[in-house]
Amino acid sequence: MFAALITGCTSAPQFQTEAESAQRPILIQGPMPIEAEKFAQRLDKVKVEKSGTFVFYIGKLDKYPVIVAKTGKGMENTAAATAVAIEKYEPIAIINQGTSGGHDPSLNVFDIVLGKRTTNIGSLKTGHLEENEGIEPTNWIPMDLMASEGSAGEDPNAEKARYYEGDEDLLAAANAVKDKYTKGKIVEGTIGSADVWNNEVDRIKWFHENYGTSVEEMEGAAAAQIAKAYDVPFLGIRVLSNNKTNGGQYNPNTAEANQDYVYEVVKQYISDMTSKK
């Protein structure tokens, strides 16, 4: 399936000007093959590098370096892949994109959420209950592991959700090309992430009401946290592939639609950077 891309790969650029080598790449992340490879196929002069299980497709878009990272699913994979990419390639910006499940009943399959905020909805602190007193998930509270270097379980300042703000310039580029996406609407919202697949509609509603989540997925908050640690601009862009709150059925074609839109976002971001020079 990916033979067309691999055929055009080279192990290293034959010629590279000093200006080109000084350009820091834009990093585009996708967890699964269907969320990464379509974008990678649209790059020019692609070469492929691997680090552990992570795959990096290194190429050009409008003559500017762009790297597509196939991170694998989940928070741990994404955090590690992000750190590896930052240390190895020094990206100027990171876009974490892919599919997601809807939390907002006003959003439909193929709608896209721009991550004005991204948060970890799997970082939770339970109430104190003794043996045989049961489990009360709706009484669990957010836990901010980054509130201090001490124990989050004993720190009252950690009893809140941590939100990672989307970069303003990346958001501006994303909003500038909204009209080019015709398969659904595009809104700014809150992306929730966790190594949990929520199928309980009341649980989904609980996150929507308590965290303000628009969608959920399994990667974005981990990438946002590592990007923040390295001070790299970050934005999550997630398309709804299903929405249990309004009966929206899963559609795998949403992954390619999102990559098509993100491609336009990256082109706009490159144009914006060039015009500022």
Side-chain angles (χ1 to χ4, degrees), residues 29-105:
Q29 298 176 315
M32 298 186 294
I34 65 167
E35 295 168 305
E37 292 179 352
K38 289 294 184 181
F39 196 112
Q41 288 173 343
R42 300 181 71 172
L43 299 180
D44 298 322
K45 300 179 181 179
V46 175
K47 64 175 181 175
V48 180
E49 293 184 356
K50 295 183 179 180
S51 183
T53 59
F54 315 127
V55 183
F56 300 97
Y57 303 101
I58 303 167
K60 295 287 186 73
L61 195 166
D62 287 349
K63 299 181 180 180
Y64 191 90
V66 172
I67 299 174
V68 175
K70 187 166 58 178
T71 64
K73 295 176 288 185
M75 301 283 273
E76 295 82 3
N77 275 332
T78 304
T82 305
V84 167
I86 292 173
E87 290 281 359
K88 192 171 184 179
Y89 303 114
E90 298 183 359
I92 197 168
I94 298 172
I95 295 176
N96 180 276
Q97 59 82 42
T99 57
S100 62
H103 280 198
D104 185 340

Side-chain angles (χ1 to χ4, degrees), residues 35 98-102 111 113 215-217 238-243:
E35 295 168 305
T99 57
S100 62
D111 288 346
V113 175
V215 293
E216 72 168 49
E217 35 89 313
R238 291 285 176 158
V239 65
L240 275 76
S241 59
N242 75 300
N243 191 345

Side-chain angles (χ1 to χ4, degrees), residues 120 123-125 141-162 211:
N120 184 345
S123 185
L124 296 158
K125 182 178 178 180
I141 59 176
M143 182 170 59
D144 179 7
L145 295 177
M146 306 303 292
S148 69
E149 293 185 351
S151 172
E154 302 299 327
D155 184 356
N157 294 320
E159 296 179 354
K160 64 183 188 305
R162 175 171 289 268
Y211 287 75

